[in-house]
Amino acid sequence: MARPVFIVDGSRTPFLKARSGPGPFTPVDLAVQCGRPLLARQPFAPDSFDQVILGCVNVIADEMNPARVAALRLGMGEDMVAFTVQINCGSGMQSIDTAYRYIREGHADMILAGGTEALSHAPLVWSNSGVRWFAGLATGKGVAAKLAAAFRLRPRYLKPIIGLERGLTDPVTDLNMGQTAEVVGHLFGITRAQSDAYAAESHRRLAHAQGAGYLKGEVETAFSRDGKFFDHDDGVRPDSTAETLAKLKPVFERPWGQVTAGNSSQITDGASWVILASDAAVAKHKLTPKAAIVDSNWAALDPSIMGLGPVMSATSLLQRNGLTIKDVETWELNEAFATQVLGCLAAWNDDKFCREILGLEGAAGEIDRDKLNVDGGAISLGHPVGTSGNRIVLHLVNAMKRLGTRRGVATECIGGGLGGAMLIEAV
């Protein structure tokens, strides 16, 4: 029989907006910064876990298999099995899902599952022509051959390509993620004014949550090697309004597009962990669970409309558990783009879409905005790709506890045409 799986604790770093050049922390640095205080407050030793699973998309060359590097730096022991997972924006949720299934099936009792990403450390890369020129220079036999190769150098060979830009472009459709949001917005008639209003509200909600202390115990202060400290998500702009955001120009589809830098998620560095435990581990270590994972689900769709991934994954998840949208009291839907989030809400409330695509008898219904991303989301705090799926589960659990709600869903769109969703219940 499937065993119950509990989330007993978790923490994350502040999400730090990428500005000029690499930020103060690598992916593993970030994982360690929030992992140390999390493990230090537990009533068991760090080596008590069965394994460590960490989501990360842009793994840097100095940190191959960052899960293992982080586990060793966290003092979890040389015997700790640790591996890294990658499913683009869903990587941090995939780590939880994998841990959940291991524990549910009896293969483990306690797992540390997380996500980390330092997008500011994404590399600049050479073009293929530049690589071929360098290869010719390096393999030339003798001085004459090397000189001949050197003379074939063209300035364009040395022009770098922004690796992150290519990484956020779908290799099948050749659309970047912002363009896919434009497609979703067009399909459901989302206006620029609606997107800007949603983005401004995201900033307002995060600023309120910070001021009210709602993130205390979730966000851990990070300390860089030069002695600086970072104690809050620094991309929030409390003074944002729909009117000020309306002045920004479209980024991806000029001049008529809806998606701007102001109503998109921010390029950010950050990490997050959650501790998952079986009922046996809860009893053994006298833990107090915060919530239970009921089920999780992944779905796939056309990459050009990847933003509708939450609709596909969460709808199937709810159907499998005999639930409807109205049965969910708290939602975390990752804010890749305001236009994309609004497109998802419109799709669920569209009779034709729900009949023809989701196989429902009619519209799934309307999600109350007061139940959705109650403390803001990626538009205001950022979207470190490998981390966000973990953060939305962690914050969902904490928000449900604060609000006294029983049932919640964390869901996200995933580049490449995927969606992930997780059903959580209070205990």
Side-chain angles (χ1 to χ4, degrees):
M1 294 180 62
R3 302 192 302 170
V5 181
F6 302 101
I7 294 176
V8 298
D9 203 352
S11 68
R12 69 174 178 90
T13 66
F15 281 12
L16 306 178
K17 187 175 181 179
R19 290 180 170 86
S20 56
F25 306 105
T26 68
V28 169
D29 288 339
L30 291 162
V32 171
Q33 287 287 332
C34 59
R36 280 180 177 155
L38 174 63
L39 297 184
R41 65 176 178 245
Q42 303 310 315
F44 51 79
D47 61 0
S48 300
F49 290 92
D50 294 297
Q51 57 187 341
V52 175
I53 308 173
L54 184 66
C56 186
V57 179
N58 290 279
V59 177
I60 67 173
D62 294 331
E63 297 176 350
M64 292 294 104
N65 190 11
R68 174 63 173 169
V69 181
L72 291 172
R73 285 182 57 186
L74 286 169
M76 302 180 76
E78 295 179 355
D79 295 336
M80 184 60 60
V81 175
F83 60 92
T84 304
V85 295
Q86 205 271 56
I87 181 174
N88 286 341
C89 315
S91 302
M93 183 180 287
Q94 179 66 70
S95 72
I96 300 175
D97 179 82
T98 304
Y100 158 68
R101 295 174 191 276
Y102 273 125
I103 295 173
R104 185 187 66 179
E105 302 304 320
H107 301 301
D109 280 304
M110 200 159 59
I111 296 176
L112 182 64
T116 190
E117 201 74 69
L119 291 178
S120 69
H121 286 254
L124 296 175
V125 296
W126 278 8
S127 65
N128 286 335
S129 57
V131 172
R132 283 192 290 269
W133 170 81
F134 185 81
L137 180 67
T139 58
K141 303 296 184 181
V143 175
K146 289 186 179 295
L147 286 174
F151 280 117
R152 288 195 289 272
L153 172 65
R154 300 292 181 269
R156 68 177 182 275
Y157 293 169
L158 302 181
K159 182 180 179 180
I161 297 171
I162 300 174
L164 181 60
E165 182 178 331
R166 295 307 303 157
L168 295 178
T169 300
D170 185 84
V172 176
T173 64
D174 204 32
L175 296 176
N176 63 49
M177 296 300 100
Q179 289 173 312
T180 69
E182 293 279 14
V183 173
V184 169
H186 175 74
L187 288 174
F188 291 96
I190 307 303
T191 68
R192 170 69 184 274
Q194 289 174 315
S195 296
D196 288 342
Y198 181 93
E201 179 65 11
S202 178
H203 284 281
R204 189 197 68 78
R205 291 186 179 192
L206 176 58
H208 174 73
Q210 289 177 334
Y214 294 161
L215 303 181
K216 185 178 181 180
E218 176 178 321
V219 177
E220 304 287 351
T221 301
F223 299 89
S224 62
R225 295 182 180 183
D226 61 2
K228 294 180 181 178
F229 70 92
F230 306 85
D231 61 359
H232 66 282
D233 307 309
D234 66 0
V236 63
R237 298 186 296 274
D239 57 346
S240 289
T241 66
E243 291 73 26
T244 58
L245 292 175
K247 298 176 182 179
L248 300 176
K249 294 181 179 180
V251 174
F252 305 103
E253 291 293 333
R254 294 178 178 177
W256 310 115
Q258 310 298 324
V259 181
T260 71
N263 58 37
S264 304
S265 57
Q266 302 177 36
I267 296 174
T268 313
D269 299 349
S272 174
W273 292 107
V274 294
I275 296 174
L276 281 74
S278 67
D279 49 0
V282 167
K284 177 181 178 181
H285 299 293
K286 297 181 175 59
L287 305 176
T288 303
K290 290 187 174 184
I293 300 177
V294 177
D295 198 2
S296 63
N297 187 62
W298 303 90
L301 69 166
D302 185 333
S304 68
I305 51 172
M306 70 93 198
L308 295 176
V311 179
M312 309 304 293
S313 57
T315 302
S316 298
L317 177 71
L318 294 176
Q319 285 182 302
R320 190 162 67 214
N321 289 274
L323 301 171
T324 68
I325 280 178
K326 297 300 182 184
D327 296 316
V328 180
E329 300 159 288
T330 312
W331 289 82
E332 281 289 322
L333 197 164
N334 191 47
E335 298 173 352
F337 304 92
T339 302
Q340 167 261 327
V341 174
L342 294 172
C344 288
L345 300 185
W348 268 312
N349 208 31
D350 186 280
D351 187 80
K352 182 179 180 181
F353 180 89
C354 290
R355 287 179 183 273
E356 296 182 1
I357 305 302
L358 300 180
L360 303 178
E361 295 182 355
E366 187 172 358
I367 295 178
D368 186 340
R369 289 286 295 277
D370 289 336
K371 299 179 179 179
L372 174 70
N373 299 341
V374 295
D375 298 318
I379 290 172
S380 51
L381 63 86
H383 178 21
V385 180
T387 307
S388 291
N390 200 275
R391 184 204 71 83
I392 61 174
V393 173
L394 171 62
H395 189 68
L396 175 66
V397 169
N398 290 336
M400 288 172 59
K401 188 173 181 65
R402 185 182 86 234
L403 298 172
T405 54
R406 179 189 170 207
R407 188 179 289 121
V409 167
T411 185
E412 60 190 335
C413 62
I414 299 170
L418 298 167
M422 190 161 284
L423 177 61
I424 304 292
E425 282 191 357
V427 293

